[in-house]
Amino acid sequence: MISKDIISPLRVEDYEAAAVFLERITNEVFKKEFWLDRFEYWWNRNPAMSKGIDRGWILRCKDGGVVGFVGNIPIRYYIKGQERTACCITSWYVGEEYSKRSLELLIPFIKQKVPALLLDTTPIEKVVKILLQLGFRSLEKKWLKRDVFYPTDMAEFWNFLAGRFGSNRVITVFFKLAGLFVIPAVKFYQIVCKFRLPAINKKYTFSEIKRFDKSYALLWDKLKEKYDVLAVRNETTLNWFFFGSNDISSSRKVIELRCDDALIGYVAVKEIKHNLHNRIYCYFEVVDMVILNGDALDYKIALKGLLWLAKKNENKIMLIKLNSFDENIENILFRFGFFWRYGKSRFLYKHTTEHEPAIAGYASDSFYATPLDGDRCFFP
């Protein structure tokens, strides 16, 4: 028993109680085992974790139970020629009866002195307003406002749309009838788009990898010269991002791209499962993409590799979501047959007071940002 509700840093011995709380407040969508796996991944195995960085903070009520939680994930960033620490806020939850204390959980995150950057890449609109008032900035990138996708199984995708928007029998029947025309039309359009693209030289190859090897150190050395601000992507960090836990590695897949056997980049996806009317639909979301040279054929081999990966996947993949993180790929996406819709993603960042003079003044154009550069990479 404690005399009053208190907020304290999350400790290893708090993992169990925090995981039970998070399972309950997410209505068991994310089970206790999921949260315990993420805690190990975010902090115990994280190469960016260091002394002086808190794992997060919890709110305990008078009887000692956890009634609030916010996570703090450190990521190594390359900022204007130097490696520094950034911290992502994640999983900000407070029990309904303690909602008035939500902002108090945020204060320790804002007041951190070790990280140079504070990030929130999955904020709801209410949180966006709060963080902007607290000095956060919104990264202005085109891909955040536009989702690009490619149906890999048009029949499966159309069934998903019918189930999602078919609120009554009449609409469902309409969807099915419309599908008789739309499905073959889209397939024909995709075939035409592929023929319009230049053929790929045999010197280009792609393959799925289960581990990043030492050759990625050279790739990272070249990549970091192109941008002022981006998450570190060396061998150690990439292996943690995509293969840092059994749960993570089971739903993350990476394609390696080579030209004349020389490494030219990679594309990483996470498999997302959507439960709709007790049926599971799966799709790929590209969470990171690095292609050094920006040549049109490099991007085309990446897209072909993604289609190959979707085709051989154990679960049926209905579509691939791929945003134009690198503007050089945008024209290729539409020429390849991708479709787009308006997106609502946000990427908020703030440099801390202690580090402000050293890192202030960079523009969005010099910031290479994908889901890997924030916490969007960490969830299903």
Side-chain angles (χ1 to χ4, degrees), residues 28-93:
E28 299 187 4
V29 172
F30 299 111
K31 301 290 187 180
K32 181 182 79 171
E33 292 73 22
F34 167 87
W35 293 107
L36 291 174
D37 176 83
R38 286 303 188 269
F39 295 167
E40 288 285 330
Y41 169 62
W42 288 341
W43 301 305
N44 295 18
R45 302 191 193 111
N46 187 343
M49 194 67 187
S50 63
K51 186 177 181 180
I53 297 178
D54 288 320
R55 296 173 175 85
W57 299 269
I58 53 175
L59 171 63
R60 286 189 180 275
C61 60
K62 292 179 181 180
D63 65 6
V66 174
V67 293
F69 175 93
V70 63
N72 185 51
I73 308 174
I75 299 175
R76 293 299 288 172
Y77 253 73
Y78 186 78
I79 302 174
K80 290 191 173 181
Q82 296 184 31
E83 281 197 23
R84 297 175 180 269
T85 298
C87 281
C88 301
I89 187 172
T90 189
S91 310
W92 185 10
Y93 291 105

Side-chain angles (χ1 to χ4, degrees), residues 57 74 97 120 183 205 208 215 229 247 250:
W57 299 269
E97 63 273 33
D120 190 349
I183 293 173
T205 59
E208 183 179 1
S215 63
V229 186
D247 182 65
S250 67

Side-chain angles (χ1 to χ4, degrees), residues 19 39 86 95 100 127 140 164-165 174 200 220 288 306 334 354 357 371-372:
F39 295 167
K100 291 182 179 180
V127 174
E140 298 302 323
R164 187 173 182 181
F165 298 109
F174 169 78
I200 297 177
W220 166 239
D288 196 32
L306 286 171
F334 296 121
E354 285 73 14
L372 179 143

Side-chain angles (χ1 to χ4, degrees), residues 150 183-196 333-339:
Y150 186 97
I183 293 173
V186 171
K187 288 182 176 179
F188 178 74
Y189 171 70
Q190 290 176 330
I191 292 172
V192 170
C193 287
K194 288 179 183 179
F195 275 115
R196 288 169 51 197
L333 289 175
F334 296 121
R335 288 170 59 193
F336 201 88
F338 276 72
F339 299 89

Side-chain angles (χ1 to χ4, degrees), residues 34-313:
F34 167 87
W35 293 107
L36 291 174
D37 176 83
R38 286 303 188 269
F39 295 167
E40 288 285 330
Y41 169 62
W42 288 341
W43 301 305
N44 295 18
R45 302 191 193 111
N46 187 343
M49 194 67 187
S50 63
K51 186 177 181 180
I53 297 178
D54 288 320
R55 296 173 175 85
W57 299 269
I58 53 175
L59 171 63
R60 286 189 180 275
C61 60
K62 292 179 181 180
D63 65 6
V66 174
V67 293
F69 175 93
V70 63
N72 185 51
I73 308 174
I75 299 175
R76 293 299 288 172
Y77 253 73
Y78 186 78
I79 302 174
K80 290 191 173 181
Q82 296 184 31
E83 281 197 23
R84 297 175 180 269
T85 298
C87 281
C88 301
I89 187 172
T90 189
S91 310
W92 185 10
Y93 291 105
V94 178
E96 185 176 354
E97 63 273 33
Y98 297 90
S99 59
K100 291 182 179 180
R101 303 203 61 186
S102 293
L103 283 177
E104 292 180 51
L105 268 176
L106 182 64
I107 291 173
F109 173 76
I110 298 293
K111 288 187 174 181
Q112 291 184 92
K113 296 182 178 180
V114 174
L117 274 178
L118 303 178
L119 305 169
D120 190 349
T121 61
T122 54
I124 59 175
E125 197 57 37
K126 181 179 179 181
V127 174
V128 170
K129 293 178 180 178
I130 293 172
L131 293 180
L132 290 178
Q133 290 177 347
L134 292 172
F136 278 72
R137 301 178 186 178
S138 180
L139 187 68
E140 298 302 323
K141 288 286 188 180
K142 188 183 295 185
W143 71 265
L144 290 165
K145 300 176 182 178
R146 182 156 65 182
D147 293 331
V148 187
F149 63 95
Y150 186 97
T152 52
D153 189 314
M154 193 58 205
E156 181 82 348
F157 179 50
W158 198 255
N159 284 335
F160 171 76
L161 292 178
R164 187 173 182 181
F165 298 109
S167 56
N168 58 53
R169 184 177 177 84
V170 174
I171 296 177
T172 301
V173 171
F174 169 78
F175 258 99
K176 290 184 176 180
L177 290 175
L180 297 175
F181 301 94
V182 175
I183 293 173
V186 171
K187 288 182 176 179
F188 178 74
Y189 171 70
Q190 290 176 330
I191 292 172
V192 170
C193 287
K194 288 179 183 179
F195 275 115
R196 288 169 51 197
L197 289 170
I200 297 177
N201 193 298
K202 291 183 179 180
K203 64 182 181 180
Y204 285 93
T205 59
F206 59 80
S207 60
E208 183 179 1
I209 60 172
K210 300 295 184 180
R211 199 79 184 163
F212 293 90
D213 60 30
K214 293 182 179 179
S215 63
Y216 282 84
L218 180 59
L219 187 76
W220 166 239
D221 286 340
K222 294 179 180 178
L223 177 66
K224 67 186 181 182
E225 297 303 317
K226 298 176 63 176
Y227 300 94
D228 287 339
V229 186
L230 75 166
V232 170
R233 288 166 167 82
N234 57 26
E235 173 196 358
T236 300
T237 302
L238 289 174
N239 279 319
W240 171 71
F241 267 119
F242 300 113
F243 308 120
S245 81
N246 290 333
D247 182 65
I248 287 285
S249 60
S250 67
S251 59
R252 306 302 191 262
K253 300 180 186 299
V254 181
I255 301 172
E256 182 177 86
L257 311 173
R258 291 184 175 271
C259 180
D260 285 333
D261 204 37
L263 181 64
I264 60 172
Y266 67 88
V267 183
V269 303
K270 64 179 179 182
E271 182 180 341
I272 298 177
K273 298 179 180 179
H274 193 106
N275 190 332
L276 184 65
H277 306 315
N278 296 318
R279 180 178 174 183
I280 302 297
Y281 293 90
C282 302
Y283 68 93
F284 280 162
E285 178 184 357
V286 174
V287 291
D288 196 32
M289 178 177 65
V290 169
I291 298 176
L292 275 183
N293 300 326
D295 185 274
L297 289 179
D298 296 357
Y299 292 117
K300 186 182 177 185
I301 193 68
L303 298 178
K304 289 196 69 171
L306 286 171
L307 294 181
W308 168 81
L309 195 63
K311 186 175 182 180
K312 81 179 194 71
N313 196 60

